Amino acid sequence: MFNSGMLFVLAGPSGAGKTTLAHSLVDKLDGVHFSVSTTTRPARGEEVNGKDYFFVSKDEFQQRIEKSYFLEWADVHGNKYGTESSWVRQQMVKGRSVILDIDVQGAVQIKEKMPSAVLIFVLPASNDLLRKRLEQRNTDSGKTVEKRMKAAAGEVSFMGVFDYFICNNILAQAKIDIESIYLAEKMKIQNIGWPDQALDYHSGYMDGLSFWAGKRIVVSSGPTREKIDDVRFVSNRSSGLMGVSLAEAFLSAGADVVLVSGPAFNMKPPGPVRLVKVESAEDMLLSLQKEIKDADLLVMAAAVSDFAPVSSVTGKIKRQGNRLNLDLEPTVDITASLNSSCNVLSFALEYGDDAVENARLKMKRKKSSFIFLNRGDKPGIGMETACNSGMLLFASGSEDIEIPLGSKKFVAFGITAALGREILNNG
Ligand code: 5GP
């Protein structure tokens, strides 16, 4: 089954040996590609336009910033450098991994936009060694070396944002280290989709998945936060894992996926999934309105707060007196307000004997084509857990489908495939 490409970001001070390490990985392994950055710095010595960098004027760089051309960009030692967004995403959609050799500011921006990116920090064995390497480059004047040494201390202070550290003391060892990181990441279940070898144990379970190839899917995920003041909020219990798992399943099926997520513990969809971060139910509605325009399916996996404070306070409400009364009002009904023309999969968390009936009523009320019923009264499944099970109900009247207990990832693949089968059979 389709494997999504991964994004590796190598950062650390100039002279740490990032470029050599990045190219060693690209040369050694199939399916890993180097992202050529764009810069306003003039070409040095043997550098070739299009191979080492794309060299552009300051005006051209500025225009590209304004057109959102860059996934990240930064001012480094007085020149601008940036990574082209569309090239990186296209590679990853094709299942290719991409390696970036960029500065620390850029790496921090990538972590924000694409939280599943793998950040690797590279340093030589000592700062004396770094100084020697910069001096030996012959491209930098004494003044530039001093400037870069000072900048190095600043870069190290951001190391805590990174996932891995490589000490580039002995180059041969550093090459083994980076290859090991690549291999470990490649074997992570999140990056594999659902392996064919595992499918053999559940034959038929994934039939229908391929229906989603080339379709555009919008998944809402996580809780929303309704502001009381700048520190406190009203919210729902939700880890965001079900939404991320559904995004992964649709991506594996070959769909173009956008994940609109409230502030969830789990907001790490695979790189090719575009992540839109939102806070409140109002924010989520606005983002979904923009995103669902050409969508084939909207998945409402978000646990949207049903109530929000009538008014909120700027700053922090002081703790005083014995009581604080909160006036709450219902939040906007997102699915009803969207009134979308595409199919909608809703989720229902229901308790007690009437659970199935209530889920069916909710499907009708929300004008959804499908609803996934989660039982709130079954321990170990649903909210803030790793596993799930439930029942898929169809507005068409097709027979309900029981989705058996498994990881949320397994359940997400089951739902995605069952929806594909339903549309193929019943339009
Ligand atoms: P140099 O001018 O020596 O080639 O690179 C200077 C610094 O800019 C290095 O730390 C390099 O990693 C960083 N850099 C190169 N390309 C990019 C990029 O696209 N984005 C960011 N943020 N930094 C970059």
Side-chain angles (χ1 to χ4, degrees), residues 18 37 41 44 53 72 74 81-83 101-103 148:
K18 294 170 290 177
S37 296
R41 150 166 101 56
R44 288 185 197 131
Y53 282 105
E72 62 74 36
Y81 297 79
T83 305
D101 159 11
I102 62 175
D103 91 309
R148 294 195 174 205

Side-chain angles (χ1 to χ4, degrees), residues 218-226 238 259-264 276-292 298-305 332 334-335 338:
V218 180
V219 181
S220 76
S221 178
T224 62
R225 284 182 182 174
E226 313 302 330
S238 164
L259 183 78
V260 177
S261 178
V276 179
K277 295 181 185 173
V278 295
E279 282 269 331
S280 65
E282 275 302 330
D283 295 343
M284 186 168 274
L285 174 61
L286 287 177
S287 292
L288 290 175
Q289 264 163 348
K290 264 193 233 152
E291 298 296 341
I292 61 162
L298 168 66
V299 179
M300 281 300 297
V304 180
S305 174
V332 56
I334 293 184
T335 320
L338 283 170

Side-chain angles (χ1 to χ4, degrees), residues 3-5 17 22 42 77 102 109 150 153 159 170 184 230-231 267 270 273 328 372 423:
N3 289 351
S4 109
H77 314 309
I102 62 175
Q109 289 174 47
K150 210 166 154 205
M159 207 168 116
I170 299 160
D230 285 342
V231 184
M267 254 204 286
V273 170
L328 300 177
F372 185 70
I423 298 177

